[in-house]
Amino acid sequence: MLSRRRALCLALAALPVSAQAASPLRVMASFSILADLVQNLTGPRLRVAMLVGPDQDTHVYQPKPSDLRAVAQADVLVVNGLGFEGWMDRLAQAANFRGRLIVATAGIAPRQTPDGGTDPHAFQSVPNLRAYIANLRAGLSAADPDGATAYAAAADRYLQRLDALDADIRAAWAPLPRARRRIITTHDALGYYGAEYGVDFLAPEGFSTESEPSAKDLRRLIGQIRAQNITALFLENISNSAVLRQIARETGVKIGGTLFSDALSPANGPASTYLDMMRHNTRLMAAATR
Ligand SMILES: [Zn+2]
């Protein structure tokens, strides 16, 4: 079956198509996780770039002059949406972007934050990723109709890998009592993960990395950690860790490692793809709550 699909792709690629389809589609993804997803749908048809790189914080990103040029030249712009890239509208407007915009979270029912806002981190739930992939596939196929068959085949292959990932995450948590699954992270990025897989997360920095908690917030949180039997604290690759280290000192709760929340690791790190990131985070968190 695989070889038949490959043969079909080769046959399509060999067809004399328009000059535009012959050069790869230029896709600009807002951040590293989206760039990885797009890369999984491409083959040689796309040239994928990203604005916010590995280990970088999308919430507080400040576009560079070179981003303006890169966005202006892109055929497709891929964003998460739900307010994750607060700076994107202005950038796209300043770049006079006239290509196709793909909003990866389109159609996903957003989770509300405790203070009534919208939680943008929908990618932290594997079932939500099915919608991301469907939106990417539809958007890329609309921008490049000659590639539609290739995008559909790649999407199907990736969805199977997502199903396996989802089953592995559920299996990792299954033996751990619900009452032990209480974790603190440096910013509240894992709400969708917690809702999907039955883990309680508390976060000292609220829902954005833009603000530091006040002394009063911190005292309240330390009280909560003691009262609520928190099992583990985790650092994040994109956040300042000083606050969390202070909490660990004052409460005696252990730091379980570094989670990748809003950005992948560089290529030589433990979370350089979405699939690796989810497995890495799950492994660390499940080990710490054992
Ligand atoms: Zn975040």
Side-chain angles (χ1 to χ4, degrees), residues 27-136:
V27 180
M28 179 59 80
S30 59
F31 75 118
S32 54
I33 292 174
L34 286 181
D36 172 58
L37 297 182
V38 176
Q39 233 131 23
N40 273 285
L41 297 187
T42 69
R45 300 196 70 91
L46 308 178
R47 191 184 308 148
V48 185
M50 69 187 97
L51 294 167
V52 186
D55 283 344
Q56 302 296 304
D57 182 354
T58 303
H59 294 291
V60 297
Y61 185 69
Q62 295 188 324
K64 305 184 292 284
S66 59
D67 293 338
L68 210 68
R69 232 171 10 254
V71 169
Q73 290 170 355
D75 300 308
V76 177
L77 186 57
V78 182
V79 301
N80 181 77
L82 302 180
F84 189 58
E85 305 98 338
W87 38 268
M88 184 60 91
D89 284 354
R90 236 164 71 197
L91 174 60
Q93 206 160 33
N96 197 25
F97 176 71
R98 289 278 177 267
R100 178 168 293 272
L101 177 70
I102 302 177
V103 180
T105 54
I108 289 177
R111 175 184 169 272
Q112 296 297 297
T113 59
D115 61 2
T118 298
D119 183 351
H121 307 90
F123 47 84
Q124 285 293 345
S125 151
V126 177
N128 280 345
L129 252 281
R130 299 190 74 85
Y132 276 69
I133 296 301
N135 288 326
L136 290 172

Side-chain angles (χ1 to χ4, degrees), residues 22 69 71 157 188 204 215 236 252 270:
R69 232 171 10 254
V71 169
R157 281 195 300 275
D188 202 342
E236 286 173 67

Side-chain angles (χ1 to χ4, degrees), residues 270-286:
S272 64
T273 67
Y274 175 78
L275 298 172
D276 284 348
M277 175 186 83
M278 296 302 280
R279 289 185 199 282
H280 171 88
N281 288 349
T282 299
R283 198 163 44 239
L284 279 191
M285 290 190 288

